[in-house]
Amino acid sequence: MNLLEKEALIRDAAETLESESPEHILRWAIERFPNITFACSFGAEDVVLVDMLQKISPSTDIFYLDTDLHFKETYETRDRLEAHYGLKFVRVSPKLTLEQQAEQHGDELWKSEPTACCNIRKVEPLTNILGKYEAWITGIRRDQAPTRANAKKIEYDVKFGLVKFNPIANWTSEDVWNYIREHNLIYNPLHDQYYPSIGCEKCTRQVLPGEDPRAGRWSGFEKTECGLHK
């Protein structure tokens, strides 16, 4: 399928898929784009999609970006999911180790230039892994942040040059947690400790009552995204 054909398909499908369930969208996506992958960060939204994919297409690749800076609870959640479903997540690492990054850019780059750190440890590795696929699946939701408010269930990702599916874009946080409870899913225990959005340990803090759910990410900086989706 060439680019023009993909654009026409996306245009026609965007309106139709808007009213469909996440499971329907996943089946539709995998049928038309078998060379597809799911980017998992082991947050609440992503464990929902891991569960759905294991029921629909357990052979679909699921990868995660290992920044070497995740919370130990995140790595433990990864291990528990692998054991429960009998799967192996594809580990995607940055080119630079933390030691090499410190040598080239200074110690604790995340404190002085968090965007540069995200580029090295997230965006560049993501660009490399997505180059192997024709479509990808994410767990973003429209009400997570203003930068995600216009996300469609299917869209063309200009930044990375492939088709992007957001099956739960119209879900609320309550929808996510209802699914987790209904299906008794494994999830990151940090969610129970006032971490609604979990990134790297260095750049994530607890969210206080009344704060925006993403206020705990890059607190103190005018930054709301790591660069993966905007």
Side-chain angles (χ1 to χ4, degrees), residues 159-177:
K159 181 169 185 174
F160 297 109
L162 73 172
V163 181
K164 181 178 183 180
F165 289 90
N166 308 307
I168 59 171
N170 64 329
W171 275 26
T172 64
S173 178
E174 184 177 358
D175 293 327
V176 172
W177 285 101

Side-chain angles (χ1 to χ4, degrees), residues 64-83:
Y64 70 102
L65 301 175
D66 191 352
T67 63
D68 301 310
L69 292 167
H70 291 306
F71 288 90
K72 68 178 181 61
E73 290 88 349
T74 300
Y75 290 115
E76 290 168 355
T77 301
R78 174 201 62 189
D79 295 343
R80 291 171 63 208
L81 289 168
E82 287 186 337

Side-chain angles (χ1 to χ4, degrees), residues 193-209:
Q193 300 172 39
Y194 306 105
Y195 287 89
S197 178
I198 304 168
C200 293
E201 184 175 10
K202 304 295 185 181
C203 297
T204 307
R205 66 162 174 82
Q206 291 173 309
V207 172
L208 302 175

Side-chain angles (χ1 to χ4, degrees), residues 2-23:
N2 61 39
L3 180 57
L4 288 177
E5 291 172 331
K6 286 181 182 178
E7 288 177 343
L9 177 64
I10 292 167
R11 219 169 27 246
D12 293 341
E15 185 174 344
T16 302
L17 292 179
E18 177 60 30
S19 61
E20 298 291 351
S21 69
E23 293 90 344

Side-chain angles (χ1 to χ4, degrees), residues 49-61:
L49 289 169
V50 167
D51 186 70
M52 290 179 180
L53 276 173
Q54 291 310 293
K55 294 171 180 175
I56 294 168
S57 178
S59 63
T60 294
D61 288 347

